[in-house]
Amino acid sequence: MLRFFRRAFPGLLAAALLAASAPGALASAAGVSYYVDAAQGNDSAAGTDSAHAWRSLARVNQVTFHAGDQVLLRAGGRWSGQLWPKGSGASGAPVTVDRYGDGANPRIDGGGAVADTVRLADQEFWTIRHLEVTNQAPSTSTPGANLKDLRGIHVTGTAGRALHGFVVDGVNVHDVTGEVNWIGGDTADDAPGIHFKTGWDRSKKTGGIVFDATVANPGAPATPTVLDGITVQDSVIANTSFAGIVVKQYSGDAPGAVATGWGSRTSAGDTRFTPHTNVVVRGNHISQPGTAYGCNGVYLTGVRHAVVERNVVDRAGTSGIEAYFADDVTVQSNEVAGTTQKAHGADANGIDADKGTTKVVVQYNWSHGNGDGILLCQFVFGDVVLRYNVLAGNTRYPLYLHSDKASKATVYGNTLYNDRGNYLVYGYGTSLTSSYDLTDNILYSKVAGASLTTSSTIRYDSNLYGGATLPVPSGDAHAVRADPQFTGTPDYTAGTPASGPRLTAAYGLRVRSGSAAVNRGVAISGNGGRDYAGTPLYTGKPDIGAFEVG
């Protein structure tokens, strides 16, 4: 059970969401507690105390619950099928699903026979805690043939209004055999369980924990359903396909559907864009080592005001943490490791600010052993600040510049350590018509001649270039060519559910007090106030790289 991340990162949004959605003693006292015991319960019993518990999920699913009610499943119990309790809570008094008694978390197995093992639809103010959830269809002799439209926990709606207050806390979701549907691509590449060119709404909505919305009649959509106040925290998600955690808004691009534009954007000011709001993904351990179909660790699309912090994403496919058609997203203090290409996907990046993303801040992250450390892929338009991250041991492009002309990236105070590939910073073609500003970064390579892409639109200034011989960009008039004098080397062992993100494993890339990186940087306003290790900025003159020495 995860208990290591009860340290909320300072921020009014995160604190307000947690306070508003957490069930308190008053809420519990105001409602009724119902008990469910898979071994000793009786569906004819009252269910209101542990001695008269219900037995089945079917009994729970018959009831409409109210503000402050609790549905308590006996620890160590095991059920098959679907949990879909009805009703809604209220602000400050959610309906809570939790466990009672001693032992392992109660387990619910969907077995691939239900689309969603735990489901909420057009409901609000719910807290789901301390469950073990799976949804694994039986395997066949054909790899991928058992992948279906499956999820572990699914919160959805067609109500055409705002639905508020969802907390998923301390759950363990694993072994969900969801199909892999890609937005574009070529259908000639289809394989069992993998489909290309399915379009926006039919893609990327299977996996461990999914929040989304749709419409009752795609041919005549009315008003959007907006999920407001989503928190997923302190949970373990493993071997779930397509993804670990998904938040996705409806847009209307399936055959026969009328386009709404609620979940997509044509510009930063697109008035049709109606995203889900106030999303926190905190302190989770997401890993996909046991499935060839487990792709995005965290996928946020059609969202506004989101914080993704202090998570571990280990051995996912495509992208560890990705934002797409999103506004005001902060990705901070995460460890993302070992992302590879899976399910015929093209990418393998740690963190991705992708299409139509604005006001994105990526800071204090430890990205190692991925294909690409961080991908800036802001197609059409976008803006991103990338600061005080450490990128090391990534096999292809530590920093991949791949945005369109109307996008802008500000990249400062990062440490890029290359010991495995032929690139440090890479971009090509029309991606070089975007605007990139790279300042105060340590660009270090143990591989001689590692490429640093140059263009009239890429501004290098006051970066330190060290290690093997590098082709230092001529435009960096304040370039520092020197050994950064690291205190050690990075540790590439990924964090576990018990440890959380091992951000200190990057501390070997701190520099010594006599380093040429010290006091050689350029002061940048609005810099977040601290470095990767939490040291205040600045101590004396600005230093180069992710660590402030002073």
Side-chain angles (χ1 to χ4, degrees), residues 31-404:
V32 178
S33 295
Y34 298 89
Y35 295 79
V36 191
D37 184 336
Q40 302 297 325
N42 184 338
D43 285 347
S44 298
T48 50
D49 61 67
S50 59
H52 300 88
W54 295 332
R55 186 182 187 94
S56 71
L57 299 181
R59 182 68 181 89
V60 178
N61 296 345
Q62 293 171 359
V63 177
T64 299
F65 296 94
H66 303 284
D69 287 351
Q70 296 186 95
V71 181
L72 304 175
L73 282 65
R74 182 159 187 164
R78 186 163 179 167
W79 291 262
S80 296
Q82 181 181 75
L83 175 65
W84 183 4
K86 309 306 187 294
S88 290
S91 179
V95 182
T96 300
V97 178
D98 207 335
R99 67 180 180 185
Y100 75 97
D102 298 326
N105 283 347
R107 174 167 172 160
I108 307 175
D109 294 305
V114 294
D116 312 311
T117 302
V118 178
R119 177 178 173 85
L120 298 174
D122 290 324
Q123 298 162 260
E124 59 184 337
F125 297 111
W126 280 80
T127 294
I128 298 172
R129 283 201 172 100
H130 303 142
L131 299 183
E132 180 182 359
V133 176
T134 75
N135 202 357
Q136 184 175 24
S139 61
T140 72
S141 59
T142 302
N146 65 327
L147 303 187
K148 301 179 182 180
D149 184 25
L150 303 178
R151 286 152 293 274
I153 297 174
H154 188 197
V155 177
T156 189
T158 62
R161 62 184 178 88
L163 300 170
H164 307 277
F166 303 98
V167 176
V168 177
D169 177 24
V171 301
N172 179 3
V173 181
H174 61 91
D175 297 299
V176 176
T177 50
E179 64 190 356
V180 178
N181 289 336
W182 299 105
I183 299 169
D186 189 340
T187 57
D189 295 325
D190 284 0
I194 303 172
H195 312 287
F196 287 88
K197 210 169 185 178
T198 64
W200 180 253
D201 290 324
R202 293 176 294 164
S203 68
K204 300 187 178 184
K205 55 184 239 177
T206 58
I209 302 173
V210 177
F211 295 84
D212 67 7
T214 183
V215 294
N217 182 357
T223 54
T225 299
V226 173
L227 305 181
D228 173 68
I230 297 169
T231 298
V232 181
Q233 63 185 12
D234 297 349
S235 296
V236 176
I237 300 101
N239 299 327
T240 61
S241 60
F242 163 81
I245 298 170
V246 173
V247 181
K248 183 172 186 177
Q249 180 59 295
Y250 177 82
S251 199
D253 74 337
V258 172
T260 66
W262 302 333
S264 56
R265 311 172 75 186
T266 58
S267 67
D270 189 341
T271 57
R272 295 194 305 168
F273 183 54
T274 314
H276 304 307
T277 51
N278 300 320
V279 177
V280 176
V281 179
R282 175 195 297 122
N284 305 288
H285 190 278
I286 304 163
S287 63
Q288 308 281 31
T291 173
Y293 307 97
C295 295
N296 291 62
V298 178
Y299 183 61
L300 303 182
T301 180
V303 303
R304 173 171 282 141
H305 311 318
V307 177
V308 182
E309 64 183 7
R310 300 196 66 82
N311 303 281
V312 176
V313 181
D314 183 22
R315 288 169 288 179
T318 303
S319 183
I321 300 171
E322 179 176 352
Y324 199 111
F325 288 143
D327 178 55
D328 188 18
V329 177
T330 299
V331 179
Q332 61 190 8
S333 304
N334 302 282
E335 179 182 13
V336 187
T339 311
T340 60
Q341 291 180 326
K342 291 187 179 183
H344 300 181
D347 294 326
N349 61 76
I351 299 171
D352 177 14
D354 212 293
K355 186 175 183 178
T357 50
T358 49
K359 292 188 286 186
V360 177
V361 178
V362 180
Q363 59 187 7
Y364 319 131
N365 299 286
W366 171 219
S367 177
H368 62 93
N370 307 290
D372 304 325
I374 292 180
L375 168 63
L376 304 182
C377 192
Q378 295 183 302
F379 291 154
V380 186
F381 64 93
D383 62 271
V384 60
V385 173
L386 180 65
R387 63 190 181 196
Y388 299 104
N389 303 279
V390 181
L391 317 179
N394 298 292
T395 58
R396 190 172 69 159
Y397 312 136
L399 179 59
Y400 188 7
L401 309 180
H402 196 58
S403 299
D404 282 352

Side-chain angles (χ1 to χ4, degrees), residues 424-425 438 441 443 450-456 458-466 470-481:
L424 272 169
V425 178
L438 278 67
N441 304 287
L443 303 171
S451 176
L452 289 153
T453 296
T454 58
S455 165
S456 60
I458 303 177
R459 177 179 175 268
Y460 290 90
D461 182 47
S462 301
N463 301 288
L464 184 150
Y465 306 85
L470 292 175
V472 177
S474 59
D476 192 340
H478 305 99
V480 178
R481 298 170 175 83

